[in-house]
Amino acid sequence: PAPGGALLHPFTLAALFTLALNDQVLKQSQPGWLTGKLSDFAGVLLLPVFLHALCELAAARAWQRPFSAVHGDRWLLVCVVVSLLAFALPEVWKPAEHLYRFGLGAAQWPFRALAALLLGHDLPSVRPVRATADVTDLLALPMAVVAFAIARRSPGRRSRRAPLAVLAASFLACSLLPKPAAASGEPFTHDAFYMSL
């Protein structure tokens, strides 16, 4: 497959569609537990595939050739682990939640600033996004195994150990910090993490 080709996998496209529909329509019209979890499941599948596609495309451009299957799968594993940590740590560790809130706010600022300039408004300040830690969001972590299966490059080397290692790493990452970040009396809200990014 071409570098970044996993972005066109039917599961990846379904996850993107689910994310857009859920964050832009369903969460407003039908707020609740199910719509809260749909984005988590879709995002945990989509983020590592997206990061891996960026790595593949950057490598193909920089070295004028794509990753080998073995190197591609190694980078995929790195992308999965990074995605799991980025998703899970804010749910269980207060400093990570603050980093998420301010980091995503800073990532959104250039786009908000450009929109303000185009509309003739003053430059907005960098402001953190809203988030409330919810340890039940960690139920979506097994979707990383699906992401790994979608984007892996070495079909001839099918092993049950790699997906199990991804799954074990995801649960280990969460169990290292067993105490959920306390929601400080704020209403339960999340900015649409992936769509906003």
Side-chain angles (χ1 to χ4, degrees), residues 105-131:
Q108 291 175 351
W109 182 83
F111 302 100
R112 291 177 44 237
L114 180 61
L117 287 174
L118 291 174
L119 296 172
H121 299 130
D122 292 335
L123 281 178
S125 61
V126 176
R127 48 176 216 247
V129 299
R130 294 171 296 166

Side-chain angles (χ1 to χ4, degrees), residues 11-12 14-16 18 37-49 76 80 83-84 87 137-151 163 166-167 170-171 194:
F11 281 5
T12 309
L16 182 60
T18 300
K37 295 296 169 266
L38 273 176
S39 292
D40 297 334
F41 278 78
V44 172
L45 187 152
L46 193 59
L47 185 59
V49 174
L76 174 59
V80 167
S83 299
L84 288 172
F87 182 82
D137 288 352
L138 301 181
L139 292 171
L141 294 182
M143 291 304 288
V145 176
V146 178
F148 189 85
I150 287 170
V166 169
L167 190 58
S170 66
F171 286 112
Y194 296 100

Side-chain angles (χ1 to χ4, degrees), residues 118-194:
L118 291 174
L119 296 172
H121 299 130
D122 292 335
L123 281 178
S125 61
V126 176
R127 48 176 216 247
V129 299
R130 294 171 296 166
T132 304
D134 179 8
V135 77
T136 64
D137 288 352
L138 301 181
L139 292 171
L141 294 182
M143 291 304 288
V145 176
V146 178
F148 189 85
I150 287 170
R152 72 177 297 165
R153 290 292 187 182
S154 50
R157 301 177 65 232
R158 292 283 177 205
S159 165
R160 294 179 187 212
R161 290 184 298 176
L164 289 176
V166 169
L167 190 58
S170 66
F171 286 112
L172 178 64
C174 296
S175 66
L176 292 176
L177 299 162
K179 191 173 188 179
S184 57
E186 298 175 15
F188 186 83
T189 57
H190 282 274
D191 282 354
F193 175 84
Y194 296 100

